Every structure is written in C-alpha cells, then in structure tokens.
Amino acid sequence: MTLSPFASQNPQAPVDSPALWAVLAWVRRRTEEAQLPSSFGRMFPVGETSYNPATLPPLNQQTNQQLADLAQTMLEGAAIANPKGTTAGITFFGQFIDHDLTLDTEPQPTDTVDVDGLVNGRTFAFDLDSVYGGGPKKSPQLYDGDKFLIGTATDGVSPDLPRNPDGSAILVEARNDENLIIAQIHLSFLRLHNSLIDQGMSFDEARRTVVDAYRYVVLNDYLPQIVGQAAVDEALSRPIKAGFYDPGSKEAPMTPVEFSAAAFRFGHSQVRNAYNINDTSGGVRVFSLDPTVPDLRGGRQLPENLIIDFNNFFSELPRGTDDDPALIGRAIDTKISPSLFELPIPGAEASGSNVLAFRNLVRAKFYDVPSGESIAEAMDVPVVGDPVFPEGTPLWYYVLREAEVTTGGAELGPVGGGIVAEVFVDLLRLDGTTSKSQAPNLPDVSGGDFRIGDLLVAADQPQEEPQPPAEKPCRGGDRPILDRDHDRSGRHRLHQALHRADDFALQHPGPHRLDQHHSVEV
C-alpha cells in the first residue's frame, strides 16, 4: 500500500489522487527544464541613491590587518555550553540548511564586489535542490532509476554516500561531504527517499514527502531553537515583504548578503572542538592540521568506526537509562573552537587566510555589508556593546556578540534572529509552508512533536501505516519545541548555570563530552 505523505482534510481532493500527482510530476518537469537562478542582493541598501535615501553606510574602511587582528581574538580558550541545552546536531543540520539555500561561488575577495551581479548557485528555497539536483533527468549521476545511488562504508555493509574511486562523493552539493557529520545527514535524506520508493511511492510522491517533512522541521524545530519561538511568531505575524526582506520573484527569491555573509554564519560559533560520533569513537576533532591526529573531514569512504549515532546528537531520540545524554552544542558567542579556527585549505596557512573568522570578516567587508550598529538602528532595536572599530562593528561579529550579551549564547538576539527568522519564514511561505502545516506521516520515534531527529532516522524505522497528523504542529511559547519527556532522567539534562566544556581534553582517554558537572580549561 502506498503511503500517503500527508493526511487530506478534503475528501473531494485526496492528497494521493492520481490527478494531483500528475500535476506534481508536470511541475517537477517544468522546474527541471527551466529553473531560474537566485541573485544576491541586500535587505538594507547601502550608499546614497536618489531613489532610496534610507540607505546605510557600508563598513569597509578597515584594513585586512585590522580584521586579521580581530579574528585572532576569536580563538576559543574554554568552551561554554549552550545554556538552554541546544544539542550538537542542530549545528550540523544548520550547515545542511545553509548548503541547501546558498552557494556563493565568488572566490575569497580582494576588492569590492558588486553583490547585485552575483548569482546564488542554489535555488534559495527549502526545496532540497542540494540533494535532488535536477532530478533523474538532469542529474542522472545521482540516481539508479527513481532511487538514489548509495555507497557502502569501509565495513562493506553500512551505507555511505555514493563515491568515486578517489573517495569524493557523487553529489550536486560537494560541501555536504566536507565533514562526516553533514555527509551522514545528507545520507539520511537519500535513504529516506529510497525507503519511500520501496514502499510503492513514485519519485514525485517520495520527493514531495521528504521535502515537506524537511520544511516542517525547519519551521517547527530548527528555527525556534536558534531564534526563539517569539521571533518566529513575530515573523509569521507579518505579511511577506512587510519587513526588511523583499524576496522579489517567487520563482527566484533574492539572497540577501546580510543573511548569507553574516547572520546565518553564526553556526561557526556553535561548533565544538570534538564530537563523540558514536559511543566508542571517543572525541574526534572536526579538522586537524596535524596529520597524526584523526579528524572528521570528508572526501573519503566512511570509516566503520565513525558511523554516526544520531542519538548522540539529538536529545529527542530515545536513549537507555545508563547512556550519557546527547551532546550539547556550544553557546553562540564571539569565539571559534580550535578545530574550526584554522581550515585545512592547501596553501592558505602561510598567509593566514585559512583562519575562518578572518575569511568571514573580509568577505563582508568587500561585500559592503553595513555595521551591526547601523542595522540595529534601522531595525529599531537596542544597540549592544561598543563599536569594535570607530566606524562600527562587522555584522557577523556583532550578531555573535549580541547573542552572547542578550541571551547568554542560548540563541540569536534581535538583529541576528530578526534577519534569520524573517528570511526563513518568508521563504517557507513562498513555498506554501505555514505554522498550520500538518506534521509528516513518517515514523515518529521521539514520541512527541515530529522533530529533526525523527526525520534523520525515519529510514531505519519499521514501515507503518500513516498516522493522523498532529493537531498542534507547533507548541507555543518562546522556547524550542521539546517533547514532553525531554527533561526526564536519562535524557538531556542541563544545569541552570553555563557549563564549561571538556571536549578539548583529547589527550585523555575515554569519551569527551560537554559535561555538566566539571570544567576543563584549554
């Protein structure tokens, strides 16, 4: 029996009717044949223009050395756990979202860039084009019929991304093989699609089911966790284009550089120094410049000892009473963990251009992004802190500092959260997703609202008949959506105070977690 992806509320037009799926197939074919590119642009225009006097001054007066000096202050000494317990999986699901929305192919700039002339390599829509590409017709390298190609890990049994002989993944979005965590998140989407095909769905039915489930958890789980439910509700209360973001064309929404080059780069601060991929891996760094130190970089067949246990990354997934709680992510602040501070970019280390913070600051400078202070004033929210430079504070740094000052690093503040929430909500509404969208009819192992963890492990669950959609897909309040058993014994626990991380103690044997009960200095 074919699973119906969403229960229909209209018996006259069932969601699994042949006519509807024929229409969806036609829409997909047209999309594959003529997909308009998204262009970069601005939420807050800069410079003086006769047609728009309400412009902001660009923050581009700083020398590269001044930006390099600021970047060096961002190396983390001791990690601070996210004070509301946002788990580590949120960081990498956010990276997956970023890769689904934006692909800036402009090389690291050395001079002012006209952002209006830049084309986004992704569709800037929550449509999983980073996974599906152009479909079997335009991206045949991804598919075996209606199913995705799947590779195998080094154990010869466990699934992996499909790979070329040199170990590189066969993807339309190569960045989703940058590290083995995001690679296995991407793999979860491939496997879920294939499992739906195995249940009798057509390609279009399976794709629609996966995309709609993705959009649902973005709006009802991910976004409230990073900006707070109040910011989500505020964005939903305004009509599209009523705020600062004007997407323009529905078919090719504009990609604002304030979002792509600053506000949505906050996730760099959430990255821990090391991760327990499973219960036997111990703490493994994200990147290591020392070839003798193991890390999580991708571009290789998945090692059997680094197969992910998503229970370690998402607290909604059940764990045994004797198991350690899910890993907690870092607080959002002005620090970058040592394993991400310097990137393994060939030839860049000698010049210092492999420092992630420096790269972010330089890109925003040459994109003429306004200061955080000027954008706060334009948004009519309080300015936080003193300017880093006489002309102002780089927006990316400001967003991180604002989160640290206003929420203790729990979530984004008014500027960062306002930009991210408005862009997310408007893009989702352009796709037809609202706060009243029904929960997916996919296996729900968390026992509460359907969440990110449920989506990523759905392919591993026994096949069931569709369940009725949740009556209340989004819980109210200003906290992230958590199931009712989230705080029970054996699940994720959190002290009231901030906690120091011990995941830098890689030289010690045994697991390395952001433990709530002791601190380790770097």
Side-chain angles (χ1 to χ4, degrees):
M1 179 178 179
T2 300
L3 279 178
S4 172
F6 287 81
S8 174
Q9 301 301 308
N10 182 0
Q12 302 302 317
V15 76
D16 56 356
S17 69
L20 177 58
W21 291 117
V23 170
L24 292 176
W26 177 83
V27 170
R28 176 175 66 85
R29 287 194 299 271
R30 291 298 301 273
T31 300
E32 291 178 5
E33 293 167 1
Q35 197 168 60
L36 297 175
S38 168
S39 297
F40 286 91
R42 302 184 186 277
M43 294 177 71
F44 302 91
V46 298
E48 296 181 4
T49 62
S50 58
Y51 62 88
N52 187 1
T55 57
L56 303 181
L59 186 67
N60 57 12
Q61 301 85 358
Q62 293 68 44
T63 66
N64 282 6
Q65 185 59 53
Q66 287 177 305
L67 297 180
D69 292 342
L70 175 60
Q72 289 300 319
T73 70
M74 299 182 71
L75 177 60
E76 180 179 72
I80 305 295
N82 186 289
K84 71 176 182 182
T86 300
T87 50
I90 294 299
T91 305
F92 292 92
F93 194 74
Q95 184 185 29
F96 177 86
I97 291 172
D98 177 61
H99 294 178
D100 190 46
L101 292 180
T102 66
L103 174 58
D104 185 350
T105 59
E106 179 73 13
Q108 186 67 8
T110 58
D111 202 349
T112 302
V113 175
D114 178 10
V115 299
D116 295 327
L118 297 181
V119 174
N120 185 351
R122 300 264 67 88
T123 58
F124 205 53
F126 292 96
D127 58 2
L128 291 179
D129 74 308
S130 60
V131 174
Y132 285 92
K137 180 177 179 180
K138 284 203 166 185
S139 304
Q141 73 277 14
L142 304 178
Y143 296 95
D144 179 10
D146 284 342
K147 296 173 68 174
F148 284 106
L149 294 171
I150 301 291
T152 56
T154 58
D155 62 4
V157 177
S158 302
D160 185 17
L161 295 174
R163 296 187 180 277
N164 295 303
D166 65 357
S168 60
I170 303 173
L171 305 173
V172 295
E173 179 46 81
R175 295 173 298 171
N176 281 357
D177 194 30
E178 283 181 349
N179 64 72
L180 294 177
I181 299 177
I182 192 173
Q184 293 180 80
I185 290 175
H186 189 111
L187 177 63
S188 293
F189 282 89
L190 305 186
R191 296 182 62 236
L192 176 57
H193 173 92
N194 286 0
S195 73
L196 296 174
I197 297 292
D198 289 340
Q199 295 171 58
M201 285 190 182
S202 69
F203 178 88
D204 296 286
E205 291 171 330
R207 180 174 185 169
R208 176 63 182 268
T209 300
V210 174
V211 170
D212 283 350
Y214 167 59
R215 290 171 178 166
Y216 181 88
V217 298
V218 167
L219 179 61
N220 294 290
D221 190 5
Y222 177 78
L223 189 56
Q225 292 209 53
I226 64 168
V227 304
Q229 189 61 50
V232 178
D233 293 340
E234 182 179 354
L236 286 167
S237 70
R238 295 191 301 264
I240 296 176
K241 300 183 181 182
F244 298 98
Y245 175 52
D246 182 353
S249 168
K250 178 180 179 180
E251 290 73 26
M254 181 270 289
T255 306
V257 292
E258 298 88 348
F259 172 88
S260 65
F264 202 53
R265 296 196 177 207
F266 78 92
H268 294 155
S269 175
Q270 290 183 305
V271 175
R272 295 162 51 112
N273 196 48
Y275 291 89
N276 295 71
I277 297 298
N278 51 56
D279 289 337
T280 61
S281 68
V284 186
R285 294 172 66 101
V286 180
F287 295 124
S288 172
L289 300 183
D290 183 347
T292 66
V293 177
D295 64 16
L296 293 173
R297 77 181 67 193
R300 54 175 168 156
Q301 188 177 16
L302 176 62
E304 59 184 295
N305 65 317
L306 295 178
I307 295 172
I308 198 166
D309 180 355
F310 282 118
N311 291 26
N312 280 12
F313 288 79
F314 296 94
S315 60
E316 61 266 26
L317 298 179
R319 298 181 65 80
T321 55
D322 295 330
D323 291 338
D324 290 327
L327 299 164
I328 304 171
R330 286 194 74 264
I332 304 171
D333 57 23
T334 57
K335 301 298 179 182
I336 305 295
S337 69
S339 73
L340 194 65
F341 189 77
E342 291 183 290
L343 301 176
I345 302 174
E349 185 174 359
S351 65
S353 59
N354 66 329
V355 175
L356 175 62
F358 175 71
R359 297 177 69 87
N360 287 346
L361 293 167
V362 167
R363 185 169 295 272
K365 166 191 170 180
F366 287 125
Y367 282 12
D368 283 347
V369 175
S371 70
E373 290 86 359
S374 62
I375 289 181
E377 292 172 357
M379 295 177 71
D380 196 25
V381 298
V383 173
V384 174
D386 296 325
V388 170
F389 301 110
E391 301 83 7
T393 303
L395 180 58
W396 174 63
Y397 188 93
Y398 183 92
V399 165
L400 299 180
R401 185 179 67 186
E402 179 190 56
E404 183 177 5
V405 172
T406 61
T407 75
E411 59 195 33
L412 293 172
V415 170
I419 292 173
V420 172
E422 184 176 343
V423 170
F424 268 53
V425 165
D426 282 1
L427 290 180
L428 287 165
R429 289 192 295 196
L430 288 175
D431 290 329
T433 303
T434 71
S435 59
K436 297 181 180 179
S437 295
Q438 296 168 346
N441 279 341
L442 293 171
D444 178 359
V445 301
S446 67
D449 296 319
F450 189 86
R451 300 182 62 193
I452 297 168
D454 295 312
L455 175 62
L456 297 182
V457 303
D460 294 316
Q461 307 312 310
Q463 307 304 329
E464 302 174 352
E465 292 296 319
Q467 299 298 314
E471 295 182 3
K472 297 180 180 180
C474 184
R475 188 172 298 167
D478 57 358
R479 57 174 290 179
I481 303 174
L482 304 174
D483 64 76
R484 63 178 65 89
D485 296 327
H486 178 74
D487 295 322
R488 73 186 181 200
S489 176
R491 301 291 283 277
H492 165 73
R493 305 179 185 91
L494 185 68
H495 275 251
Q496 295 295 320
L498 297 178
H499 312 297
R500 296 285 181 178
D502 67 352
D503 62 346
F504 303 112
L506 299 178
Q507 67 273 24
H508 300 302
H512 301 282
R513 296 180 180 273
L514 278 169
D515 187 75
Q516 291 92 334
H517 305 293
H518 58 278
S519 63
V520 176
E521 297 295 327
V522 180

